[in-house]
Amino acid sequence: MPIPQALEALSSLLGDRFTRSKPDLEAHGQSEAHFTPCPPDGVAYPETTQEVAKIVQICASERCPVVGYGAGTSLEAQAMATQGGIAVDFGRMNKVLEVNAEDMDVRVQPGVTREDLNTELRATGLFFPVDPGANASLGGMAATRASGTTAVRYGTMRDNVLGTQTVLADGRIIRTGTRARKSSAGYDLTGLLVGSEGTLGLMTELTLRLHGQPEAISAAICGFDTIRNAVECVMATIQMGIPMARIEFLDEDCVEAVNAQSTLNMPLQPHLMVEFHGSDSGVAEQAERFGEIAADFGGEGFKWSSRPEERNALWEARHRAYWSVLALRPGADGVVTDMCVPISRLADAVEETRADIAASTLRGPIIGHVGDGNFHALLLVEPGNRAEMDEALNLSGRMAERALAMGGTVTGEHGVGLGKRKYMRAEHGDGWDAMGQIKQALDPHNILNPGKLVPGN
Amino acid sequence: MPIPQALEALSSLLGDRFTRSKPDLEAHGQSEAHFTPCPPDGVAYPETTQEVAKIVQICASERCPVVGYGAGTSLEAQAMATQGGIAVDFGRMNKVLEVNAEDMDVRVQPGVTREDLNTELRATGLFFPVDPGANASLGGMAATRASGTTAVRYGTMRDNVLGTQTVLADGRIIRTGTRARKSSAGYDLTGLLVGSEGTLGLMTELTLRLHGQPEAISAAICGFDTIRNAVECVMATIQMGIPMARIEFLDEDCVEAVNAQSTLNMPLQPHLMVEFHGSDSGVAEQAERFGEIAADFGGEGFKWSSRPEERNALWEARHRAYWSVLALRPGADGVVTDMCVPISRLADAVEETRADIAASTLRGPIIGHVGDGNFHALLLVEPGNRAEMDEALNLSGRMAERALAMGGTVTGEHGVGLGKRKYMRAEHGDGWDAMGQIKQALDPHNILNPGKLVPGN
């Protein structure tokens, strides 16, 4: 057990920016989700890339696990130090380093949150679109390949990270990517790091793609008789090439939850919430065409608005949906699922999932980024009730199997972490071993977030 | 030298689909560019993934190099068997396996060319947008991370390959990616293979993202007094968020070459060729707004047209530009360069390159996908004239250095191959070693396209 030497060396490197206080360890051993807490042995708060490199060097020489930590908002406990070791908390590396408005990119430290970045960008006419709901850190979002409501238009973190500065498992500092918009110069290391959940390196800087704030934005809401009609409306909208900025589905249960915590007063039926970005006339045209498609599928009460206060009320309600659903059963824990299928299978996927939940003893409203084929059921479980938790995990497991049977993925945007690792073999087959070979090559002593993502360890 | 056993085993596996005829070897030892021919020892024409796996197994056990071969249109000799061995020609694996119109994706074998795919898709209302000019194979385009005129709107191969079936260096067959639009399930192996130039695996199937054929298309052409005005017009257009489908720059020299081989009759000055995709009213609005921006930069003779025959004449002339430039100096060889910089540096990059070529003894028209910050000089060299070739390579080297000094990349879309490997250390630093570690992990005997892309070997 060589960790004591690592702890001592980190303490003399970082002084009071390395802590072993119980509250700090406990805070870094929790997760937003239902996993059993598991505190690290120490928490480091580096301020520079050089310090991160030194932390990793110390841990490498002592074979001590190193786990990156952002805002603590991940839903699959990616940042939990399940084999002990050091949490590297990027909270002090939270500076926006360089805004290149002409090139529409920005260089940030990983601890900057997406809301802080957008606040800082406000005067530039640019914004960073990836929006997972939570005010996550950008480093964490990159590490889990996050996306959210706007991915249907602006892509996921895969599409919006242009480059990184990364500390590898032996402490080497590399730069990946360039500031050019494209490149054919060798392996896409940036793309490999995005979604690697801290198992291949610790990203200490990100270069992100920005987008112009749209000239006009309008939003709309529309109710449907059935889940199938709502989802088929989404499929038709995507296939017509209408460039939706957001297109979100809420089932009847979710509508009930959101109504209770907002002023939206939606009729109790499945709904779509949509947003259009573009020029004034472009937005009007998109809204009109979407309205026509919605009417074809029996959409009711369609109205759109460009008034910021109405839009904000809508998306604030959407972003609070997780908490609104939890409030349906006060005190409950949420088990959040995350399946993603080809658009053509989406109606089947949602209907089958809805029926499966209905046949259980649990309540589980469904909400989703349906333009991507991605949706979540939020299963409400009484804390400490083992039977309910088992039922929730069984439902979640059947969703994962359903996703794979339909040609989809067991996780659209939450990542692998602790909850989805057991499905990696089913999703990737021998490809999972190839991931393991890459991990072994870049982290031969398995110090970076051990026990996660790849086979073995 | 164990290759003879491999040749024998391949011959008995494939019969007359394995050849060692001189014309066949020579045909597979050539490149479109200026590199010295270098024939393989044999050419295999597999028809199935299983056959590719068996070929690789044979070559692995005999330590015989294996080099994938598509349409032979790459510009950096990626498919040249510089250490001998077997060319795996995908010409017989040229089937479109499955069109999923509802999901807007398609599964193809790697030997399908982009033009053949689009012909097959015509009735579906969908198309595959990536357009490098040449009628390249889709497998080759994926392997080199190709792009071209439409990347500014639709992205590169990185953005449009959803998944692959790939034969690894030990003959294992893996599937990467799913048919879902996004996933957070582990390392992005698809993204790692795209651009790996056959050094990590042979892709035997691709799942590609399709796009809806735009309701309306219009194209326009516009002349400018100076290179800087033309390029600054591009920068302003991109920054205004106008969703250009194509935006191409031709310098005065290139205009002269294109005029001589087309009916375009452009005034002898720098030009932009642009295309807009969208609804009827959207296209009209985009064209109008682009026209206003062009006027701000002194653009002259701006006119736009939705007439297909005019558009086709324009883009056919653009696609033939390489041959038109070669015709400026009959019999000349072309040395094609490929730098890509952040948009803010594009005017500097083009001007400095123009001046550098003007100070040389060579002619080198410049043409580029300027919306991406990517442009090419086509340097015309007398075959066998060593001094001219050295001068061309020096110019090309200075372009690469200029790209790096400006935060860009030495290759925007042509890939590394033989010509750009010498700049990999400068572009990637220690990241190049990380690429080598990945290669070593997945291909420990270095049989897949040895001598390319990574350090050492």
Side-chain angles (χ1 to χ4, degrees):
Chain A
M1 181 68 166
I3 287 181
Q5 285 91 311
L7 299 176
E8 202 173 309
L10 290 168
S11 194
S12 65
L13 173 70
L14 298 169
D16 59 6
R17 289 188 287 109
F18 179 72
T19 81
R20 304 199 60 206
S21 79
K22 196 153 177 273
D24 228 14
L25 299 183
E26 278 177 1
H28 289 80
Q30 313 240 334
S31 82
E32 285 272 322
H34 59 276
F35 302 98
T36 312
C38 185
D41 294 299
V43 183
Y45 294 91
E47 290 181 342
T48 65
T49 298
Q50 300 302 330
E51 280 186 351
V52 175
K54 281 183 190 153
I55 292 166
V56 171
Q57 279 159 12
I58 288 168
C59 290
S61 70
E62 305 295 340
R63 306 287 190 263
C64 171
V66 186
V67 185
Y69 190 97
T73 57
S74 70
L75 291 168
E76 296 289 359
Q78 280 90 342
M80 214 185 258
T82 52
Q83 301 187 10
I86 306 306
V88 177
D89 185 316
F90 287 104
R92 284 168 172 259
M93 291 180 69
N94 63 351
K95 284 169 207 63
V96 176
L97 299 171
E98 193 183 355
V99 180
N100 300 295
E102 280 196 314
D103 293 311
M104 299 168 79
D105 65 36
V106 63
R107 194 158 56 87
V108 301
Q109 290 186 313
V112 176
T113 68
R114 64 173 189 88
E115 288 179 4
D116 285 349
L117 175 60
N118 280 323
T119 301
E120 185 132 349
L121 290 173
R122 204 169 282 166
T124 64
L126 300 169
F127 77 115
F128 183 70
V130 184
D131 174 13
N135 187 21
S137 71
L138 293 160
M141 287 168 63
T144 51
R145 206 185 294 130
S147 48
T149 57
T150 59
V152 63
R153 170 72 166 265
Y154 297 99
T156 72
M157 289 304 280
R158 176 186 196 271
D159 308 297
N160 288 288
V161 180
L162 289 169
T164 76
Q165 183 179 61
T166 294
V167 174
L168 297 177
D170 57 5
R172 268 178 305 165
I173 299 165
I174 62 169
R175 284 207 172 273
T176 69
T178 70
R179 285 190 51 240
R181 280 286 148 143
K182 65 183 190 185
S183 170
S184 292
Y187 304 162
D188 182 6
L189 295 181
T190 303
L192 183 64
L193 289 164
V194 172
S196 67
E197 303 190 1
T199 62
L200 297 178
L202 292 175
M203 294 181 256
T204 56
E205 274 184 30
L206 301 167
T207 303
L208 303 172
R209 184 182 291 242
L210 301 176
H211 298 259
Q213 285 169 12
E215 201 178 295
I217 303 179
S218 72
I221 193 165
C222 189
F224 293 83
D225 267 356
T226 63
I227 287 175
R228 183 160 290 269
N229 276 340
V231 173
E232 286 188 347
C233 173
V234 174
M235 290 162 60
T237 304
I238 298 294
Q239 285 155 11
M240 290 289 289
I242 301 178
M244 312 298 289
R246 288 174 156 136
I247 185 162
E248 298 281 308
F249 168 84
L250 294 79
D251 76 355
E252 190 177 325
D253 237 19
C254 195
V255 164
E256 181 188 335
V258 168
N259 277 347
Q261 307 287 324
S262 73
T263 56
L264 292 184
N265 273 323
M266 296 175 272
L268 280 186
Q269 60 182 169
H271 272 75
L272 294 179
M273 291 180 174
V274 296
E275 190 168 90
F276 311 98
H277 291 179
S279 63
D280 284 320
S281 59
V283 159
E285 186 184 358
Q286 289 173 47
E288 195 182 320
R289 293 179 66 188
F290 175 78
E292 287 163 14
I293 296 171
D296 286 347
F297 291 93
E300 290 160 23
F302 173 73
K303 53 175 190 283
W304 62 279
S305 167
S306 296
R307 291 174 55 195
E309 59 277 21
E310 290 186 53
R311 279 196 292 112
N312 290 346
L314 188 67
W315 296 112
E316 207 180 306
R318 165 63 189 90
H319 277 148
R320 282 208 319 266
Y322 176 72
W323 307 108
S324 302
V325 168
L326 284 180
L328 283 178
R329 187 176 181 184
D333 277 346
V335 173
V336 187
T337 65
D338 178 32
M339 67 186 278
C340 188
V341 296
I343 287 279
S344 64
R345 304 306 307 277
L346 187 59
D348 294 339
V350 177
E351 279 188 345
E352 288 178 25
T353 302
R354 184 68 272 152
D356 201 14
I357 296 170
S360 79
T361 65
L362 298 180
R363 202 153 175 197
I366 291 177
I367 191 164
H369 316 309
V370 280
D372 304 323
N374 183 205
F375 65 95
H376 314 290
L378 279 64
L379 305 166
L380 297 172
V381 174
E382 186 186 36
N385 185 328
R386 194 62 243 173
E388 284 198 5
M389 180 55 84
D390 286 346
E391 191 161 18
L393 295 178
N394 286 338
L395 282 165
S396 174
R398 285 196 294 276
M399 284 181 76
E401 286 157 18
R402 194 171 298 129
L404 295 177
M406 292 182 175
T409 175
V410 301
T411 170
E413 56 180 10
H414 294 169
V416 181
L418 296 183
K420 293 289 156 49
R421 188 155 170 260
K422 56 179 164 294
Y423 307 112
M424 288 298 97
R425 176 67 67 193
E427 177 155 340
H428 299 296
D430 286 350
W432 199 35
D433 297 317
M435 294 184 200
Q437 291 171 278
I438 293 166
K439 164 74 170 175
Q440 167 72 21
L442 292 178
D443 181 17
H445 303 304
N446 192 24
I447 63 161
L448 295 177
N449 211 358
K452 305 280 175 62
L453 206 145
V454 292
N457 72 17
Chain B
M1 180 69 163
I3 286 180
Q5 285 91 312
L7 300 176
E8 202 172 308
L10 290 168
S11 195
S12 64
L13 172 69
L14 298 169
D16 60 5
R17 290 188 286 109
F18 180 70
T19 84
R20 303 199 61 207
S21 80
K22 197 152 176 276
D24 228 14
L25 299 183
E26 278 176 1
H28 289 81
Q30 313 241 333
S31 82
E32 285 271 323
H34 59 278
F35 302 98
T36 311
C38 184
D41 293 300
V43 183
Y45 294 90
E47 291 180 341
T48 64
T49 298
Q50 300 301 332
E51 279 186 351
V52 175
K54 281 183 190 151
I55 292 166
V56 172
Q57 279 160 11
I58 289 168
C59 290
S61 70
E62 304 296 342
R63 306 286 191 265
C64 172
V66 186
V67 185
Y69 191 97
T73 56
S74 70
L75 291 168
E76 296 289 359
Q78 279 91 342
M80 213 184 259
T82 51
Q83 301 187 11
I86 306 305
V88 177
D89 186 315
F90 286 103
R92 283 167 173 260
M93 291 180 69
N94 62 352
K95 284 169 207 62
V96 175
L97 300 171
E98 193 183 355
V99 180
N100 299 296
E102 279 196 313
D103 293 313
M104 301 170 78
D105 65 36
V106 64
R107 194 159 54 89
V108 300
Q109 290 185 314
V112 176
T113 68
R114 65 174 189 87
E115 288 179 4
D116 286 349
L117 175 60
N118 279 323
T119 302
E120 184 132 349
L121 291 173
R122 205 170 281 165
T124 63
L126 301 169
F127 79 115
F128 183 70
V130 184
D131 172 12
N135 187 21
S137 72
L138 293 160
M141 286 167 63
T144 52
R145 205 186 293 131
S147 50
T149 57
T150 59
V152 64
R153 171 71 167 264
Y154 298 99
T156 72
M157 290 303 280
R158 175 185 196 273
D159 308 298
N160 287 288
V161 181
L162 289 169
T164 76
Q165 183 179 60
T166 294
V167 174
L168 297 177
D170 56 5
R172 267 178 306 164
I173 299 166
I174 63 169
R175 284 205 174 272
T176 70
T178 71
R179 286 188 54 239
R181 282 285 148 143
K182 65 182 190 186
S183 171
S184 292
Y187 304 163
D188 181 6
L189 294 181
T190 303
L192 184 64
L193 290 163
V194 171
S196 66
E197 302 189 4
T199 61
L200 297 178
L202 292 176
M203 292 180 257
T204 57
E205 274 185 28
L206 301 167
T207 302
L208 302 173
R209 184 182 292 243
L210 301 177
H211 299 260
Q213 284 169 11
E215 200 178 294
I217 303 180
S218 71
I221 192 165
C222 188
F224 293 83
D225 267 355
T226 63
I227 289 174
R228 183 159 291 269
N229 276 340
V231 174
E232 287 188 346
C233 173
V234 174
M235 289 160 59
T237 304
I238 298 295
Q239 285 155 11
M240 291 289 288
I242 301 177
M244 312 299 289
R246 288 174 156 137
I247 184 160
E248 298 281 306
F249 168 83
L250 294 78
D251 76 353
E252 191 177 323
D253 238 18
C254 195
V255 165
E256 182 187 332
V258 168
N259 277 347
Q261 309 285 325
S262 73
T263 56
L264 292 184
N265 272 323
M266 297 174 271
L268 281 184
Q269 60 183 169
H271 272 75
L272 294 179
M273 290 180 173
V274 296
E275 191 167 88
F276 312 97
H277 291 179
S279 64
D280 284 320
S281 60
V283 159
E285 186 184 1
Q286 289 173 45
E288 194 181 321
R289 293 178 68 188
F290 174 79
E292 287 164 12
I293 296 170
D296 286 346
F297 291 94
E300 290 160 23
F302 173 73
K303 52 177 189 284
W304 63 280
S305 168
S306 297
R307 291 175 54 195
E309 58 277 20
E310 289 185 57
R311 278 197 293 113
N312 291 345
L314 188 69
W315 296 112
E316 209 181 307
R318 166 63 189 89
H319 277 149
R320 283 209 318 267
Y322 175 71
W323 308 107
S324 301
V325 168
L326 285 179
L328 283 177
R329 187 177 181 182
D333 279 346
V335 172
V336 186
T337 65
D338 178 34
M339 66 186 278
C340 189
V341 295
I343 288 278
S344 65
R345 304 306 307 277
L346 187 59
D348 294 339
V350 177
E351 279 189 344
E352 287 177 26
T353 302
R354 185 66 273 155
D356 200 14
I357 297 169
S360 80
T361 65
L362 298 179
R363 205 156 173 193
I366 291 177
I367 192 164
H369 315 310
V370 280
D372 305 321
N374 183 206
F375 65 95
H376 314 290
L378 280 63
L379 304 166
L380 297 172
V381 174
E382 186 186 34
N385 185 329
R386 196 61 244 172
E388 284 199 4
M389 182 54 86
D390 286 346
E391 192 161 16
L393 296 178
N394 286 337
L395 282 165
S396 173
R398 285 196 294 276
M399 283 180 76
E401 286 157 17
R402 194 172 297 129
L404 295 177
M406 292 180 174
T409 174
V410 301
T411 171
E413 57 181 10
H414 294 170
V416 180
L418 297 183
K420 293 290 157 49
R421 188 156 171 260
K422 55 180 166 293
Y423 307 112
M424 288 299 97
R425 176 67 67 193
E427 178 154 340
H428 300 294
D430 287 350
W432 199 34
D433 297 316
M435 294 184 200
Q437 290 171 279
I438 293 166
K439 163 75 170 173
Q440 167 72 21
L442 292 178
D443 181 18
H445 303 304
N446 192 24
I447 64 160
L448 294 176
N449 211 358
K452 305 280 174 62
L453 208 146
V454 291
N457 72 16

